[in-house]
Each structure stands twice: as C-alpha cells, then as structure tokens.
Amino acid sequence: MTVHTGRTVTGTPGRRLLVLLLAHSVLAQMVTFVLRPAVTYRAIELDVPGGWLGALAASFALVPLLLAAPSGQATDRFGERRVMIAGALLMTASAAVLTFAGSTTAGLAAGVVVLGTGHLFCVVGQQAAVANAAPPDRFDAAFGYYTFAASLGQALGPGLIILAGGGQAVPATGALFASAIGIGLVLTLCALFLRMPPRPAESREQETGGIRGLVRLPGLPQALLVSCVVLAAVDITLVYLPVLGTDRALSAGFIGLLLTLRAVASMTSRLFLGKLVTSLGRRRLMIGTTVLSALSMAALALPLPPAATACLVVALGLGLGVGQPLTMAWLATSTPPGLRGRAMSLRLTGNRLGQVVIPSAVGAIAVSAGAAGVLCATAAALAAAAALARRASYSA
C-alpha cells in the first residue's frame, strides 16, 4: 500500500505507517477477542441467565452507538492518531475494570461498555487512516490487508483461551483479563508512534455538502444493513459458541480452536480480496459470501460431530470475512478525504445499531430455544442481508 495524500510519498515513512497501522489493528482485535469470550465465561461462572448474555453482548455497542458519529467528526478534525490513542487507553482501562470489578454482573457490563467505546475509537481512526493513506485504485486490496490484520488479532485473541486452561469447561478468566491489560499497553505504545501524513484541507462548503451527500449515496441503506448484520453475526459467534460448547459438553479449548479457525478463514478471504473483486465484482462477491455465511450458520445448529462443526466454522469465516472490507472500500471510493472519518463512523453507527438490536433479539430466543435457536435466527438474518445485497451498488 502506497501512502497517498494528493501526491505519492514513497520510501520508509510509508512502510512504517503501514506496519504500525496493521500492528495497531492486530492488537486492538486481540484485546477485544480475548475479553469478550472471557466475559461470557465469567458470566457463566456467575450463573448469569442465558437470556442476559445477549444483553451483555449488546452493552459492547450501547454507548458507542451514541458516539459513532461524533468519533468520525473528531477523526476528521483532530486526526486519526489522537483518536486511536484515546481508543487504546480506553481498551486498556476496560481490561482493568474487568480485572478488579468483574466479579459482578454490573462490573462485567461496565467493562464491556468501556471496551466497546475504546474499540470504536480505534477502529474509526484505523479505517480513516487506511482510506486516507491508500490510493483510490487500491482501496479493495488495502482494506483487505487491513481487515486481514484484524482477523489475525481475532485469531490470536481466542488462542489465549487455550493457554489459560483450554482443557477445562471454563478457563481462568482472571488470567485472560490480566493478559489483556498487557496487550492494551502495547496497543497504546503503538498508537503513540503513529505519524499520519497531512491531508488537503476541505472548505466548509465542501464539508457540509459532503455530509449531506453521504446519506444520499446510491445503495447506502442496503450496504449499511448488510454490514451491520454480518458484524452482528460475528458477535453472536463470539458469545454463543461458548454457550453451544457448554450445552454439548465441548471443552473450552475446542471452542477457542473454533473461534480461531473462524478468524483464520476470514483472514484468508480478506488476503485475496483484491483479486476476488477483480474476478467477480463487489456485488456478486457480497451476495455469494453472505449466502455462504447463512447456510453455514444454520448448519451449525445441527447436532454434528466436532470435525463437521469445525468445517462449518471455516466456511462461516470465509463468508463473514468479506462483508466489512467491501463496504469500507466502497465508502472510501465514494467519499472525499476530509469526510472519510465521518463516512466510516456512519457505517459503524449502523454496525453498532445492529450489535445492540440483533444480539438482544436473539438473546430472547436463547431463553426458549437455546444456542442452536440463536444460530438459526442469525442465519435467517444473514439470508435477508443477502437479499438486500442484490439491491445495493458496490461500484465506485
């Protein structure tokens, strides 16, 4: 990826920026994807009712839902680096809250809220930085690499569950919370060393017109809905695969392996995203991968042997890995540099809304139908998203 600011900047600074951005993405996702399953396991230790697990998952997106748009404005105004530093500090603080106050349901909810807020700031800053550093003809590949790094973090995070007691039904959650504090400190250090190149200034008239134009982009509602359903499906696998494991007497280590396999599969589809878009086109690729996700999610609800479950999780990861980078690239292509923070925050607002509404709804299903019912309901939502994707335009 070449740094692009209206002129091309070559050499070491561009490579250094790319390495730090990708490292920041890996570390932020590591913190998130070790803490969220750990919170579920701690809730199981505390005998939190199954119906409340959905609400606990939704608390990750509750405050960020209100802050998504302001975070985009802050990114465009103050720069990506400052927003990413704030996010890293909040993610570190969330691990500390869970370590010292995670013995109660209220403490768990508070830690997840802080985690969601810090994650929002990190992600908005990262996505705007990628959009402003990559040349327009490389957006698909650049966001593919960015989300590949995110998937790497999502694979490494659950891997810590195996180290913390994967042979047990419930791992050592205190050790997972403490490890996240250390990763958060490294994340903060990484953000401090970031140096973004300057961007061309946008006039107030261009900026205001651009904001109004964002909500009128062709296919925007469909793209946002597809994005939020796909991301909510990832969240639901984080929360309800551990529940499914306890229902079927599967070890925590095997569940950690499943979560890692899903992330690795998403990494694979994202690594080759540029070539896939060239071969199939954004729209056809989005529809196909969303259908694959829906079928895989529905099949996971069946009482299958562990090997078949692992194969389905791999297929699910391949499908879920495509939706986020495709919508990011589409928005970056359609938006001027001075508004890309707001464009990404608009997408994240829809994502956070889906993360609040969809897990809460499936949490109610879990009371009567269990984890298998949750997976079936999520599969139906993904099938509806695939139908919406047929009506969206993903071209520049």
Side-chain angles (χ1 to χ4, degrees):
M1 185 173 73
T2 305
V3 175
H4 180 79
T5 62
R7 62 187 185 278
T8 301
V9 182
T10 59
T12 303
R15 290 195 298 270
R16 179 175 179 270
L17 171 61
L18 174 60
V19 169
L20 286 173
L21 276 175
L22 296 183
H24 196 273
S25 177
V26 170
L27 293 169
Q29 297 300 331
M30 277 188 70
V31 173
T32 303
F33 275 66
V34 69
L35 285 182
R36 298 197 68 192
V39 166
T40 297
Y41 280 119
R42 176 61 66 86
I44 292 172
E45 287 180 318
L46 298 175
D47 294 323
V48 174
W52 284 97
L53 289 176
L56 193 60
S59 64
F60 176 78
L62 189 58
V63 172
L65 177 62
L66 304 176
L67 296 180
S71 70
Q73 293 175 338
T75 301
D76 288 331
R77 181 175 180 183
F78 300 112
E80 300 89 345
R81 177 176 174 271
R82 293 181 181 179
V83 173
M84 291 164 67
I85 291 172
L89 290 171
L90 284 171
M91 294 187 78
T92 307
S94 74
V97 170
L98 291 169
T99 299
F100 298 107
S103 57
T104 65
T105 304
L108 290 178
V112 173
V113 167
V114 177
L115 175 65
T117 306
H119 182 265
L120 170 72
F121 287 169
C122 285
V123 168
V124 170
Q126 290 164 4
Q127 292 176 10
V130 173
N132 288 319
D137 62 346
R138 295 284 294 166
F139 279 149
D140 288 303
F143 280 107
Y145 294 142
Y146 163 68
T147 51
F148 171 87
S151 293
L152 178 59
Q154 293 170 11
L156 294 174
L160 295 177
I161 296 174
I162 301 174
L163 298 177
Q168 307 169 16
V170 177
T173 51
L176 294 175
F177 294 157
S179 66
I181 295 177
I183 299 171
L185 293 174
V186 179
L187 174 69
T188 304
L189 186 64
C190 181
L192 288 171
F193 281 97
L194 274 172
R195 291 293 184 273
M196 287 297 299
R199 296 196 307 268
E202 298 287 333
S203 70
R204 186 174 184 83
E205 292 77 16
Q206 288 176 312
E207 185 173 304
T208 304
I211 294 173
R212 289 196 300 266
L214 286 178
V215 297
R216 296 197 299 265
L217 290 175
L220 178 67
Q222 295 93 329
L224 295 182
L225 283 170
V226 172
S227 179
C228 80
V229 171
V230 169
L231 186 60
V234 174
D235 277 8
I236 287 164
T237 62
L238 277 178
V239 174
Y240 284 98
L241 276 182
V243 178
L244 188 71
T246 56
D247 289 346
R248 298 180 179 176
L250 300 173
S251 70
F254 182 70
I255 296 302
L257 175 63
L258 290 182
L259 292 172
T260 300
L261 286 173
R262 186 210 60 79
V264 171
S266 292
M267 289 167 58
T268 303
S269 60
R270 289 169 172 178
L271 183 62
F272 298 102
L273 183 65
K275 294 181 179 179
L276 289 171
V277 170
T278 301
S279 300
L280 301 174
R282 288 178 182 169
R283 182 174 176 273
R284 185 179 300 174
L285 183 61
M286 175 64 80
I287 295 169
T289 54
T290 308
V291 169
L292 175 64
S293 301
L295 294 175
S296 303
M297 185 77 78
L300 279 174
L302 300 174
L304 299 171
T309 300
C311 291
L312 287 171
V313 167
V314 170
L316 179 66
L318 289 171
L320 293 178
V322 169
Q324 301 305 310
L326 274 187
T327 53
M328 291 177 204
W330 176 70
L331 280 177
T333 301
S334 307
T335 310
L339 290 169
R340 285 175 181 154
R342 267 157 279 204
M344 297 303 165
S345 69
L346 180 63
R347 191 187 70 87
L348 287 169
T349 299
N351 285 353
R352 291 297 188 258
L353 182 60
Q355 287 178 295
V356 171
V357 173
I358 296 175
S360 298
V362 300
I365 295 171
V367 176
S368 58
V374 167
L375 297 178
C376 287
T378 307
L382 286 167
L388 284 172
R390 296 184 61 189
R391 301 172 56 190
S393 171
Y394 290 92
S395 59

